[in-house]
Amino acid sequence: MAIPFHHRLFATVALLAGAYTTQAQHSPVPAFTGTVGKTLAETTAGNTQFNPAAKPGAPNIVYILLDDVGFGASSAFGGLVDTPIFDSLANNGLRYTNFHTTAICSPTRASLLTGRNHHSVNVNTVIDAAVDAPGHNGYIPFEKGTIAEIARENGYNTFAVGKWHVTPTPDISPAGPFNRWPTGRGFDHFYGFLAGETDQYTPQLWENTVKIEPDLHGKHLTTVLVDKAIEYIAGQKTAAPDKPFFLYLTPGATHGPHQVDKQWIDKYKGRFDGGWDKYREEVLAHQKQLGLVPANTTLPVRNSGVKAWDSLSAVEKKVFARFFEAYAGFLSHTDYEVGRLIHYLQEINQLNNTLVVLIIGDNGASKEGGLTGHAFGINEYIDGSVYTEKYEDRIAAINKVYDLIGSSKSGPNYPAGWAQAANTPFRYLKQDANSEGGTRNPLILFYPDGIKERGIRTQYSHVNSVTPTVIDIAHLTVPDVINGYRQDSLEGVSLAYTIANEKASDKHHVQYYEISGSRAVYKDGWKAEVYHQTGTPFTNDTWELYNLQDDFNEQHNLAATQPDKLKELQNLFDEQANKYNVYPLLGDTQGRDFSKLTKGPFDRRKQAILYPGVTQLPTRAAPFLYQHSFSIKADVEITDTRNEGVLLAAGGRFTGFTFYVQNGKLTVAHNNNGKLVYLTSDKPIAKGKAILRYDLTYIPAKNLTDEAGTESLYINDVKVAERKITKADATILPYDEGLDVGRDNASPVSPNYQTPFTFTGILHKIIVDHVIP
């Protein structure tokens, strides 16, 4: 169905899982070296090795990938957020200061896992916005194996814990297939979430391919993830103490929502009252002292729209400082939890023989809080509220919930001024694939038994280089065939050559970047780049040119004075783009044409039939309810006039939609970033069989507050309520929580009931009919 798809849908989708399945290892029948007699007594065993065995002394391998952190946030790279564990790993290992990601989460993760460029593995942007074209469809080829598949073929146990975010939309259904879930791409176990973010206190979690509804008992998700990682390691080391493991630990930190226990926020009370301008100055000074940036580095101007801190009102300063206190507490808490894992490895005498790869951020700091920040969840960014609502109104609304910012009752992300501060000393942010601010992140290698060198390495590198580096350091063999698929070559350049020689010449000479039309190409210290504004023609783009050897943080555009060099690099980008399937570029239209996306399980159907028991079906794996006309019918039996409960709910306490029965009346509620609007029937529901219906008739509108049609309630085809709706009411696109049938799991869409508010009558099915003009 031709439903427009909003260009800022960078929300990812987790999903309901089926039974636990896993891809088999490549295991051809081994030759038998014994003798076979007619009886067992006459038979000599062959001592056959059926499973791959690791080389003696093979190290454990741990990838730790954080989210949306920024180059200048952690104290390990000069930031003002205390990260003593990261500091210790860096001080006892190697810091890489010229390491780059792709500028956004799914592509970085796909590149990290495979050792290849992100378009080479079909992950051009966040996975649920994949487009049905080569290089863009979201399906990582089996011919491009993951580090987990390689490690398992080398005799390792493999565990993925935390954020995944690279399973394509069409596969995120209870029907699978599950071969591109973590357990299908080389991991023996998975415990985590499939989306780009999740609530830290009411998360959407899966273990292997089974949806779980864990009671976290008040624990923070990062704590639970580290507990699970330790549990996996403990079981493995008990059963096979000589067998190494590969752990891929990817907490949700510090992606929004910035939620953490109060004591971590209180730790930073007043620490950032000086504001983002002072923060940048102090961090740059620290970075120079640590030798992380050239001594002549200066700060770039503030990013567009960011005000001087001293020009802010008292209320702006108050709420903005609170946002960063919550963020800092979240990052410090993450450091503490990583420390628990490190200390556990030490306790079981495994730390010295463990290669730890710590990447502090999968892209630059996040711009998704807009200029004001947001307190009610990612949908304020997705639906455009952070851009379209009045600045003063947003500040006033945030101030009203000041005491909740950072708690489980808020869904915060900081304003763009703090994002640039966390990115010190760079300009621009996450998603800006053209800039160092979008792509430069801290990398730390720590391996006591294998890396004796200490210090800083400045050689150019990219996230596609991590897996080749680990393969070299751990002496892994890359099989020619994995799971029956002949393997293509790796594309990253191993950093092993830098370990013993801090002055070694760069070996990674060329690298392209591209996210949603913003793009760049690097060659031997030179970089050509262009920022693309979504919704504008590419012919409007203006290329820039920088010599990063002399201009570390891109302040001196040489395009006008070096036109030949610029042309050379533009031609190189075109060459790289053709080689790695970068074309077609995205971002030439404001909306991403729905018909061109890879299709989810309901996207080709005008009607969807849902049954009770469906829970937390992610947005892109569920019937699409976004900005179009549709009808929901609940086939029920009212066995008692006191029957109540949810018929269908999508989303949670920050954003969502719920259709339910309460006090004998049929009700629908829209939660628009914490603002609730209701429609309730004017008549009670009688006992007996009934069709309870909700109709939304959508008329396209420009602004979220504009009138955009009507919604109506029916009991057995009798209209019992109607009202006019706004575009915001029709913008049903919940991000952190999915769709439930017959109940509302996790957090409630409406505060008028408590979850799960299971329907106490008999619900046979829900029918969703999409009205196509």
Side-chain angles (χ1 to χ4, degrees):
M1 55 188 177
I3 301 169
F5 190 78
H6 198 282
H7 80 285
R8 277 192 294 269
L9 175 55
F10 287 139
T12 45
V13 193
L15 83 133
L16 263 170
Y20 170 35
T21 60
T22 185
Q23 286 282 94
Q25 288 175 275
H26 181 62
S27 185
V29 177
F32 180 65
T33 57
T35 58
V36 178
K38 290 187 175 181
T39 68
L40 184 60
E42 297 172 350
T43 300
T44 303
N47 295 317
T48 306
Q49 179 71 50
F50 287 97
N51 297 310
K55 296 175 182 177
N60 306 308
I61 302 167
V62 177
Y63 282 10
I64 302 172
L65 176 64
L66 303 191
D67 203 332
D68 287 8
V69 178
F71 189 89
S74 75
S75 54
F77 275 70
L80 304 187
V81 181
D82 301 330
T83 53
I85 299 301
F86 300 167
D87 296 356
S88 178
L89 294 172
N91 292 337
N92 292 282
L94 295 174
R95 284 178 173 89
Y96 284 81
T97 62
N98 201 1
F99 173 76
H100 298 78
T101 55
T102 69
I104 203 166
C105 40
S106 297
T108 289
R109 291 159 198 272
S111 184
L112 170 64
L113 286 166
T114 64
R116 292 153 174 112
N117 288 313
H118 61 105
H119 289 87
S120 280
V121 292
N122 293 323
V123 184
N124 66 312
T125 183
V126 288
I127 197 72
D128 56 328
V131 171
D132 189 4
H136 297 67
N137 60 40
Y139 282 80
I140 299 177
F142 296 117
E143 291 83 358
K144 300 178 191 288
T146 69
I147 178 60
E149 290 169 325
I150 293 168
R152 199 161 68 170
E153 296 298 333
N154 279 266
Y156 281 67
N157 279 127
T158 54
F159 315 125
V161 179
K163 173 175 172 176
W164 181 243
H165 206 196
V166 287
T167 295
T169 294
D171 294 6
I172 51 173
S173 81
F178 301 107
N179 55 0
R180 283 185 171 86
W181 288 51
T183 51
R185 292 310 310 251
F187 288 99
D188 298 329
H189 290 292
F190 167 62
Y191 183 94
F193 56 100
L194 297 177
E197 69 168 53
T198 195
D199 193 282
Q200 298 299 306
Y201 292 97
T202 55
Q204 293 192 68
L205 292 180
W206 284 257
E207 185 153 21
N208 302 319
T209 59
V210 177
K211 182 73 178 68
I212 57 176
E213 297 294 341
D215 181 355
L216 299 187
H217 302 289
K219 284 186 175 182
H220 191 277
L221 176 59
T222 308
T223 302
V224 173
L225 294 177
V226 172
D227 286 347
K228 181 59 70 169
I230 290 172
E231 176 189 318
Y232 287 154
I233 294 168
Q236 190 252 4
K237 287 300 179 186
T238 298
D242 295 328
K243 190 172 184 179
F245 66 84
F246 169 65
L247 170 65
Y248 178 60
L249 177 62
T250 55
T254 57
H255 196 292
H258 298 159
Q259 300 166 316
V260 72
D261 295 351
K262 187 174 183 295
Q263 66 266 28
W264 291 96
I265 302 173
D266 289 347
K267 166 185 168 71
Y268 288 100
K269 185 65 178 174
R271 289 262 298 265
F272 306 115
D273 287 354
W276 47 60
D277 293 324
K278 181 180 179 183
Y279 181 99
R280 290 209 297 157
E281 292 169 358
E282 292 185 13
V283 169
L284 181 58
H286 290 174
Q287 291 171 335
K288 289 179 179 180
Q289 290 168 3
L290 290 170
L292 301 172
V293 303
N296 64 350
T297 301
T298 59
L299 291 174
V301 298
R302 296 181 202 90
N303 289 334
S304 177
V306 175
K307 299 178 182 179
W309 184 266
D310 288 344
S311 72
L312 300 177
S313 69
V315 174
E316 287 173 298
K317 290 179 179 179
K318 171 189 169 186
V319 298
F320 290 170
R322 177 70 170 186
F323 274 124
F324 205 71
E325 290 167 5
Y327 166 81
F330 194 13
L331 181 54
S332 283
H333 174 257
T334 306
D335 176 85
Y336 171 82
E337 292 298 338
V338 170
R340 284 204 304 121
L341 173 67
I342 298 299
H343 292 147
Y344 176 75
L345 293 175
Q346 192 170 36
E347 287 174 9
I348 64 172
N349 200 31
Q350 291 294 318
L351 183 61
N352 286 347
N353 194 38
T354 297
L355 168 58
V356 177
V357 179
L358 172 60
I359 304 173
I360 306 179
D362 55 356
N363 41 243
S366 171
K367 65 171 72 174
E368 290 151 11
L371 295 177
T372 62
H374 63 65
F376 298 104
I378 187 66
N379 274 77
E380 294 190 77
Y381 170 76
I382 295 171
D383 69 19
S385 297
V386 294
Y387 306 107
T388 57
E389 292 180 356
K390 285 186 178 180
Y391 180 91
E392 295 79 8
D393 292 345
R394 291 189 57 78
I395 297 298
I398 293 167
N399 189 40
K400 289 180 180 178
V401 296
Y402 171 85
D403 290 331
L404 300 179
I405 294 174
S407 74
S408 62
K409 296 180 180 179
S410 70
N413 202 337
Y414 52 37
W418 281 121
Q420 185 173 13
N423 255 7
T424 304
F426 301 109
R427 59 177 188 156
Y428 304 139
L429 305 164
K430 172 184 177 179
Q431 301 184 32
D432 299 330
N434 53 298
S435 73
E436 295 293 288
T439 63
R440 195 181 291 226
N441 288 93
L443 168 67
I444 295 168
L445 296 184
F446 170 88
Y447 178 19
D449 282 353
I451 298 178
K452 302 299 184 182
E453 295 79 5
R454 302 290 179 262
I456 294 170
R457 298 294 182 267
T458 59
Q459 290 84 357
Y460 180 89
S461 60
H462 186 268
V463 66
N464 62 21
S465 298
V466 171
T467 285
T469 302
V470 166
I471 288 169
D472 279 356
I473 294 173
H475 304 294
L476 303 181
T477 299
V478 180
D480 292 332
V481 176
I482 295 177
N483 297 332
Y485 292 90
R486 186 157 296 280
Q487 294 297 290
D488 292 341
S489 59
L490 298 170
E491 293 167 2
V493 178
S494 170
L495 281 166
Y497 75 96
T498 68
I499 292 173
N501 185 0
E502 63 180 311
K503 296 183 179 179
S505 298
D506 288 8
K507 290 187 177 181
H508 195 141
H509 300 290
V510 173
Q511 182 63 49
Y512 83 88
Y513 299 86
E514 192 277 336
I515 298 292
S516 296
S518 290
R519 54 209 188 274
V521 64
Y522 168 93
K523 181 181 179 183
D524 292 331
W526 286 89
K527 186 179 173 191
E529 61 187 58
V530 57
Y531 171 75
H532 178 71
Q533 178 66 49
T534 298
T536 63
F538 285 104
T539 52
N540 292 358
D541 291 351
T542 301
W543 284 80
E544 300 174 1
L545 177 69
Y546 297 96
N547 182 350
L548 299 182
Q549 297 171 94
D550 302 326
D551 185 14
F552 178 79
N553 55 356
E554 302 173 305
Q555 294 192 65
H556 306 291
N557 180 10
L558 304 177
T561 59
Q562 299 267 12
D564 292 342
K565 174 60 74 172
L566 177 61
K567 184 61 176 176
E568 173 195 338
L569 292 180
Q570 287 175 308
N571 290 339
L572 179 60
F573 177 84
D574 193 57
E575 174 188 307
Q576 295 285 295
N578 285 312
K579 180 178 181 180
Y580 294 113
N581 287 328
V582 176
Y583 296 134
L585 298 177
L586 306 182
D588 53 338
T589 59
Q590 189 71 10
R592 190 161 293 167
D593 189 343
F594 183 85
S595 68
K596 294 181 181 178
L597 296 178
T598 50
K599 297 298 185 289
F602 290 101
D603 289 346
R604 292 186 174 90
R605 303 179 189 172
K606 289 185 178 181
Q607 185 180 85
I609 300 176
L610 308 172
Y611 297 99
V614 170
T615 176
Q616 291 296 287
L617 194 61
T619 297
R620 288 291 291 118
F624 205 46
L625 305 180
Y626 178 82
Q627 293 182 4
H628 73 288
S629 299
F630 63 88
S631 173
I632 299 172
K633 293 191 286 285
D635 183 351
V636 305
E637 291 182 42
I638 303 298
T639 58
D640 189 306
T641 55
R642 292 171 295 180
N643 285 158
E644 63 177 4
V646 169
L647 303 168
L648 181 143
R653 64 182 176 273
F654 301 130
T655 293
F657 167 87
T658 179
F659 182 39
Y660 64 98
V661 177
Q662 191 172 49
N663 299 323
K665 302 284 187 73
L666 186 59
T667 299
V668 66
H670 298 268
N671 184 330
N672 301 324
N673 304 322
K675 301 171 185 175
L676 275 294
V677 291
Y678 295 89
L679 178 66
T680 300
S681 65
D682 57 13
K683 296 179 181 179
I685 308 171
K687 288 181 63 175
K689 294 183 178 181
I691 300 296
L692 307 179
R693 190 172 103 221
Y694 168 78
D695 285 355
L696 187 149
T697 302
Y698 179 65
I699 300 172
K702 181 179 180 181
N703 302 309
L704 290 173
T705 54
D706 291 347
E707 186 177 315
T710 61
E711 63 181 0
S712 308
L713 294 173
Y714 294 82
I715 300 174
N716 290 326
D717 291 328
V718 176
K719 185 184 293 187
V720 292
E722 185 175 70
R723 78 175 184 94
K724 294 179 179 179
I725 62 169
T726 65
K727 183 177 180 179
D729 298 329
T731 304
I732 303 171
L733 196 70
Y735 181 69
D736 283 346
E737 297 186 32
L739 180 145
D740 303 303
V741 177
R743 54 184 161 173
D744 184 357
N745 274 356
S747 70
V749 175
S750 168
N752 287 350
Y753 58 76
Q754 293 184 335
T755 55
F757 201 41
T758 302
F759 183 62
T760 57
I762 299 172
L763 173 61
H764 295 293
K765 59 187 174 183
I766 294 285
I767 301 172
V768 180
D769 287 301
H770 301 281
V771 180
I772 310 301

